[in-house]
Amino acid sequence: MIIDWGMQAGVHVFCAALAWSRFRFVRFADNEKATTTFGLLAECFEQLGGVPKMVLADRMGCLKSGVVANVVVPTPDYVRFATHYGFRPDFCEAADPESKGMVEHLVGYAKQDLMVPQQPFDDLTTANEAVVVWCAEVNTTTHSEICAVPVERLAVEQPLLGPLPSLRLELGVRPVTRKVDRLSCVRFGSARYSVPCRLIGYQVTLTTTATMITVIEPVSGEVLAEHRLVAPGETSIVDDHYGGPRPQRPSRAPRGRTQTEQDFLALGPVVGGLPDRR
């Protein structure tokens, strides 16, 4: 199987194709991170009903940790993922279009036949619903190069695929759940990060990288806020989460402690400043 990423108008497209049957798998995403690639590979294997013996990838930055003597060294996470699913990870030769021409053609086909006519998509959910229908159409249509229907060839190829593991492999830092406090912030690593004030009292999910923290709606997966990680004890605030800029100093209304003070305050509003006696 050959895999590659492409992009059109800010939308990332993941493409995979089986070499013999030419069965095609295409999905849209908002990034090309390793975790996204692993998740889409797992979904692809589940749709195929098995795991191919080898996955040939372009020299994706998310999957390679370096190049030694023109040989790509996969990242430790990719090695663990490949070991879990039982396939051999391999990479295309540098500047060799013949080694990845099949999947590059699929990327271009998906852009021209699906993305360009239907863009702009409302959201990724709508886009992926459209691409599922598109894949079903192209996989049940006679392929121009092999003069056969990919889904029919897949039925012949499927018994040669390796078995699917019982569970998906979880890689990276697991997301955590936090409750938004009365200051419209969440705590993580002894620091506070703001979120939109409409979420006060709600549970949200936090995911982190080496430098960033992302606040996500647990059900829909909507990104609610993003911050750079700050040191313990510090706070990261976005003014827009509170409807506008924060005041330079808090506004506190005077409160009378005695009856005399309360009677005095009842005379009218407090004057903003002292009179000018010049």
Side-chain angles (χ1 to χ4, degrees):
M1 187 171 76
I2 308 175
I3 64 172
D4 198 7
W5 279 100
M7 188 170 70
Q8 178 78 27
V11 179
H12 302 267
V13 55
F14 174 83
C15 295
L18 284 174
W20 186 76
S21 67
R22 302 299 177 93
F23 188 88
R24 288 155 284 191
F25 175 89
V26 180
R27 290 294 184 272
F28 297 131
D30 59 1
N31 65 78
E32 297 180 14
K33 297 178 181 178
T35 51
T36 304
T37 304
F38 296 152
L40 293 174
L41 266 174
E43 184 181 346
C44 177
F45 296 155
E46 290 164 6
Q47 183 170 345
L48 296 175
V51 182
K53 296 294 187 290
M54 183 181 72
V55 173
L56 180 65
D58 194 6
R59 298 192 167 200
M60 303 177 185
C62 63
L63 300 182
K64 71 176 183 178
S65 61
V67 180
V68 178
N70 201 32
V71 176
V72 177
V73 180
T75 64
D77 279 348
Y78 190 33
V79 172
R80 285 193 289 270
F81 181 85
T83 302
H84 179 76
Y85 279 93
F87 68 85
R88 181 169 70 87
D90 200 0
F91 293 87
C92 297
E93 294 289 335
D96 182 18
E98 291 185 0
S99 64
K100 57 179 180 177
M102 182 192 305
V103 73
E104 282 193 337
H105 176 73
L106 175 57
V107 172
Y109 184 28
K111 289 179 180 179
Q112 297 172 10
D113 196 55
L114 175 65
M115 298 180 75
V116 172
Q118 296 200 29
Q119 278 186 337
F121 293 108
D122 295 332
D123 50 51
L124 283 177
T125 301
T126 304
N128 279 315
E129 288 174 353
V131 80
V132 168
V133 175
W134 183 81
C135 286
E137 292 176 355
V138 298
N139 285 324
T140 54
T141 303
T142 301
H143 195 284
S144 60
E145 293 184 4
I146 63 174
C147 298
V149 179
V151 72
E152 295 176 357
R153 274 204 170 190
L154 177 62
V156 179
E157 192 173 15
Q158 202 166 35
L160 303 176
L161 301 178
L164 284 168
S166 58
L167 296 173
R168 283 194 182 188
L169 178 66
E170 292 187 10
L171 294 170
V173 180
R174 292 188 178 184
V176 296
T177 301
R178 292 287 189 272
K179 184 177 181 180
V180 181
D181 62 23
R182 290 180 295 176
L183 299 177
S184 194
C185 292
V186 292
R187 290 180 62 92
F188 181 82
S190 298
R192 278 192 170 91
Y193 302 89
S194 69
V195 300
C197 57
R198 60 184 172 82
L199 300 169
I200 292 176
Y202 284 85
Q203 297 282 345
V204 294
T205 299
L206 310 182
T207 61
T208 59
T209 64
T211 58
M212 298 291 295
I213 181 170
T214 304
V215 184
I216 300 173
E217 207 287 323
V219 178
S220 66
E222 175 191 0
V223 175
L224 303 170
E226 290 184 304
H227 297 268
R228 295 193 67 84
L229 288 171
V230 298
E234 294 186 1
T235 303
S236 177
I237 299 294
V238 176
D239 290 339
D240 289 344
H241 292 164
Y242 299 89
R246 293 166 290 160
Q248 295 298 318
R249 56 184 179 180
S251 176
R252 299 185 180 92
R255 293 181 296 177
R257 295 181 179 274
T258 65
Q259 186 61 45
T260 302
E261 291 175 346
Q262 294 175 10
D263 292 341
F264 176 76
L265 293 173
L267 295 176
V270 179
V271 178
L274 295 175
D276 187 355
R277 296 184 178 181
R278 289 180 299 174

